[in-house]
Amino acid sequence: MFEFMEKFMNAYTGIPKASHIWLCTLAHSWPKNLYHADVHFLDFFKRNKKHFDNAFLFFMGDHGPRQGGIPEVKLGRYENLNPFLMVSIPKSYRNTAIHEQLRNKSRELMTNFDLHATFMDILEVQMKSNFSDTSYREPQDSGSSLFREWRGPRNCRTLPIPSQYCICQYNWTDQIDVSVQKELGIFLANELKRHLVQEGLGTLCHPQAYSSVGFLLNSYGKYLLKISQ
């Protein structure tokens, strides 16, 4: 696959291009399988250094390790929901304002929507300012460019991150009062029904009503309320 990628990188001289490689089977089932490819990656990046010095590179995973017993421990479950991401920018833009913004994001919570906003920023906006515009922009399609100022808190309450993928370490309270559990169940069922009606789906979905309370174990070993119909 690297061979085809390299041929593409050396073709169409002088014409901007984009490429995508998805090595999904390299270490998907067992993390130890990853290391035998280290030399191949190193050689590939060394051979093509001149290209990467003039390119935006996003090197990432879609999720963390899910096999080999790693998800059985708390830290492993966090790792699964916090995939690897490395970004390299063209050499001419390093140690500039957009590079500083990128560094500032290294410990910030981000989503795939932010990556999409970054790609669109590169393709449609930043070229007009020679990649020097770091001014704040309202989120585009729920995402914010990594090269721009971010404002406000960034957590799973402010970002479009479903609860099952949340890595925020909120304080949890175990509710053992049966009457309160019932009140919560009725409230959630009614809110779901209200939302479906509001979105014009009230007649298309099965009526939502509280029946009983069960519990589901989430990724961090915490129990979440489940409403049964």
Side-chain angles (χ1 to χ4, degrees):
M1 192 172 291
F2 280 155
E3 180 183 353
F4 290 114
M5 175 68 168
E6 201 163 345
K7 287 181 178 179
F8 177 71
M9 292 167 65
N10 287 303
Y12 313 110
T13 302
I15 299 177
K17 56 182 79 77
S19 182
H20 177 215
I21 284 187
W22 195 253
L23 301 171
C24 59
T25 60
L26 185 61
H28 192 273
S29 299
W30 188 249
K32 290 183 179 179
N33 294 341
L34 177 66
Y35 303 105
H36 78 276
D38 284 354
V39 174
H40 298 286
F41 276 93
L42 180 61
D43 289 344
F44 172 72
F45 284 120
K46 281 184 174 180
R47 285 197 310 271
N48 296 284
K49 184 178 183 300
K50 66 176 183 179
H51 292 301
F52 291 117
D53 277 344
N54 192 36
F56 289 93
L57 170 67
F58 293 80
F59 191 22
M60 59 183 290
D62 59 337
H63 58 76
R66 291 179 174 174
Q67 308 293 334
I70 294 176
E72 296 176 9
V73 297
K74 184 176 181 180
L75 182 59
R77 292 191 287 270
Y78 276 109
E79 282 296 304
N80 175 41
L81 301 179
N82 191 27
F84 165 80
L85 170 65
M86 184 193 77
V87 181
S88 174
I89 65 176
K91 189 174 183 179
S92 58
Y93 302 139
R94 294 169 193 170
N95 298 314
T96 63
I98 65 166
H99 196 186
E100 184 63 25
Q101 285 293 332
L102 186 62
R103 286 197 184 103
N104 292 342
K105 310 296 190 299
S106 63
R107 294 184 179 274
E108 292 276 3
L109 185 63
M110 64 183 66
T111 73
N112 289 333
F113 294 104
D114 298 319
L115 291 180
H116 177 264
T118 305
F119 299 153
M120 298 306 295
D121 200 19
I122 293 171
L123 292 171
E124 296 187 349
V125 183
Q126 286 290 353
M127 284 188 289
K128 300 173 184 176
S129 66
N130 194 28
F131 293 88
S132 63
D133 185 1
T134 60
S135 61
Y136 173 77
R137 296 186 77 197
E138 288 294 328
Q140 308 293 308
D141 297 323
S142 302
S144 301
S145 172
L146 303 182
F147 302 137
R148 295 181 176 275
E149 175 191 353
W150 285 356
R151 294 180 182 176
R154 295 184 63 85
N155 53 56
C156 294
R157 292 171 177 165
T158 63
L159 299 174
I161 300 176
S163 59
Q164 64 266 39
Y165 299 113
C166 178
I167 60 173
C168 298
Q169 300 182 40
Y170 296 120
N171 292 325
W172 293 78
T173 300
D174 294 328
Q175 183 52 256
I176 60 175
D177 189 317
V178 176
S179 62
V180 175
Q181 291 177 2
K182 182 177 180 179
E183 289 180 17
L184 288 172
I186 294 173
F187 171 78
L188 290 174
N190 288 338
E191 281 297 297
L192 177 57
K193 182 167 60 177
R194 182 188 64 79
H195 181 71
L196 291 173
V197 171
Q198 180 179 309
E199 296 298 321
L201 301 173
T203 60
L204 300 178
C205 298
H206 186 78
Q208 303 298 309
Y210 166 78
S211 174
S212 62
V213 172
F215 292 94
L216 295 173
L217 192 66
N218 74 356
S219 298
Y220 314 112
K222 289 291 184 179
Y223 287 98
L224 304 177
L225 186 69
K226 179 181 74 173
I227 301 173
S228 301
Q229 294 184 358

